Amino acid sequence: MSKIAIIGAGDVGTTIAFTVQLRGLVTEIVLVDTNRELVQGQVMDLTHGLFFVRPIHIYAGDYADCTDADVIVITAGTRQKAGESRLQLINRNAQLCKLIVDKIEPHSTKGIFLIVTNPVDIMTRVVIEHSGLSKHRIIGSGTVLDSARFRYFLSRNCQVDTRNIHAYVIGEHGDSEVVLWSQVHIGGTPLDIFCKQCAVACNSMVNREKIAEAVKHSAYHIIEAKGATYYGISLAVRRILEAIIRDEHSVLTVSTWLSGQYGLSDICLSVPCIINRKGVAQIIETPLNKGEETSLARSAELLKNAHREML
Ligand code: NAD
């Protein structure tokens, strides 16, 4: 028996419920949204497909229904409009996250908090500071999606299955994120060595710039084209949920509280972490080259400033 609670039954929250329902990952999903009509409609739509999936109880509930959830996923909040950065959402969504934490009464819960609302690094920090819960229990979806995008673009460029590529994006889930070229491995082979053997005709250095740009600007392109992003993030969130609920000890670049790792403290941003039933079991300090170190420090500084300027 496992249960997730999803706060916010908009595009992201409902698509997460749908992807989890398809996988049969849990036996119960509660959706909570201030828009009662919307959440009722979403639940009807999801439950009418129950004949086709494993038995699962999906219902519209209230904050009290979060108490026994294994994971509480927060997706409520304003999303970016075309051309708007994630950091521009900060004040509206920070107030909302605090209000949601108060309503949930976090000390009466047993589960992990998984924050998706943007700007996700700042919201993760807000929930940690406002709830007072152990920091390992509060995770931001961070750059799990960005790392997946990085692998996708590498896969297309190098013509290798995404699943045979190891590659990470760390730092802010946003404009200052850091694409870790020094850590890319294809079939266990460091990228520079792989490139020397590769038969694909590509200008690898020029393409690296293009790939990094594509990773960083993906969300802007999608929002410009269709108004919102929700499929990719929902699969990324499902992957994090799997790691938690199935106690997988998986390495994922979630947003987490740093206390000295990478020379950074009192900040949430994404780095590779081992994720299990307890949340963040361990932060991995992967070696960075000088340029990556500087970029990560810059990303952290930017997030600290944004947090400081919050109303
Ligand atoms: P949406 O507008 O479709 O849904 C937001 C929902 O939150 C609405 O249904 C609204 O009624 C609900 N809501 C507002 N206040 C609430 C409250 N107090 N309690 C419960 N529900 C409440 O937006 P969306 O596209 O689903 O995006 C949601 C958030 O997720 C945004 O902040 C967006 O930027 C973020 N997002 C994050 C990522 C990521 O990678 N972390 C990716 C995509 C979207």
Side-chain angles (χ1 to χ4, degrees):
M1 292 278 285
S2 40
K3 170 175 177 179
I4 60 167
I6 301 176
I7 317 296
D11 286 331
V12 173
T14 308
T15 314
I16 292 169
F18 184 57
T19 59
V20 169
Q21 174 186 17
L22 288 182
R23 186 69 123 212
L25 180 63
V26 296
T27 47
E28 195 173 329
I29 300 176
V30 59
L31 286 155
V32 181
D33 199 295
T34 39
N35 185 339
R36 294 298 294 173
E37 198 180 0
L38 173 78
V39 70
Q40 296 288 358
Q42 302 284 32
V43 165
M44 277 192 270
D45 203 2
L46 290 164
T47 51
H48 293 178
L50 285 183
F51 175 69
F52 306 104
V53 295
R54 287 187 190 161
I56 179 170
H57 180 37
I58 304 176
Y59 61 104
D62 215 328
Y63 292 106
D65 296 302
C66 297
T67 313
D68 60 344
D70 297 285
V71 187
I72 298 160
V73 186
I74 299 184
T75 74
T78 313
R79 65 189 184 199
Q80 294 159 266
K81 297 187 187 72
E84 207 176 19
S85 84
R86 295 175 181 92
L87 285 177
Q88 285 172 271
L89 307 173
I90 196 166
N91 287 318
R92 273 171 287 171
N93 286 348
Q95 292 311 321
L96 191 65
C97 281
K98 286 183 191 171
L99 187 129
I100 289 168
V101 167
D102 290 340
K103 297 234 181 209
I104 292 176
E105 296 179 18
H107 288 281
S108 65
T109 61
K110 60 166 188 143
I112 305 297
F113 283 71
L114 176 51
I115 319 302
V116 185
T117 302
N118 273 322
V120 69
D121 303 290
I122 309 262
M123 294 308 120
T124 306
R125 178 170 174 180
V126 164
V127 173
I128 287 176
E129 291 178 334
H130 197 68
S131 70
L133 292 179
S134 303
K135 297 179 171 72
H136 67 87
R137 269 182 69 187
I138 299 164
I139 299 173
S141 57
T143 56
V144 174
L145 173 59
D146 313 68
S147 295
R149 285 176 173 148
F150 188 23
R151 289 173 190 213
Y152 165 71
F153 289 120
L154 280 166
S155 156
R156 283 215 322 195
N157 186 77
C158 307
Q159 294 173 28
V160 176
D161 186 340
T162 324
R163 294 168 301 179
N164 297 119
I165 297 174
H166 277 84
Y168 300 102
V169 176
I170 62 170
E172 179 201 3
H173 167 61
D175 299 343
S176 72
E177 65 192 25
V178 185
V179 174
L180 286 190
W181 287 103
S182 70
Q183 294 292 326
V184 177
H185 284 71
I186 298 183
T189 311
L191 183 63
D192 288 339
I193 299 174
F194 179 87
C195 283
K196 285 185 189 137
Q197 306 166 10
C198 180
V200 177
C202 91
N203 184 341
S204 65
M205 292 325 283
V206 172
N207 285 9
R208 284 185 195 192
E209 275 172 41
K210 286 190 188 152
I211 289 171
E213 281 306 299
V215 172
K216 285 186 190 189
H217 294 133
S218 286
Y220 290 113
H221 296 315
I222 298 169
I223 291 167
E224 192 72 44
K226 56 175 264 189
T229 72
Y230 38 89
Y231 293 124
I233 182 59
S234 300
L235 288 167
V237 168
R238 190 188 72 189
R239 180 70 196 89
I240 304 169
L241 288 168
E242 267 171 356
I244 297 168
I245 286 164
R246 301 184 67 242
D247 198 26
E248 287 182 349
H249 296 250
S250 304
V251 176
L252 295 166
T253 51
V254 294
S255 189
T256 190
W257 180 276
L258 296 184
S259 40
Q261 298 90 347
Y262 296 90
L264 302 169
S265 293
D266 303 330
I267 190 170
C268 285
L269 50 67
S270 288
V271 289
C273 295
I274 300 175
I275 305 298
N276 67 9
R277 203 160 240 291
K278 294 192 173 122
V280 175
Q282 191 190 322
I283 294 171
I284 298 175
E285 287 198 71
T286 194
L288 306 180
N289 66 30
K290 266 274 162 266
E292 291 164 347
E293 240 174 62
T294 309
S295 300
L296 183 63
R298 202 181 302 130
S299 186
E301 195 51 37
L302 190 138
L303 283 170
K304 279 200 171 177
N305 288 341
H307 183 265
R308 214 174 286 129
E309 284 162 20
M310 213 167 65
L311 298 176

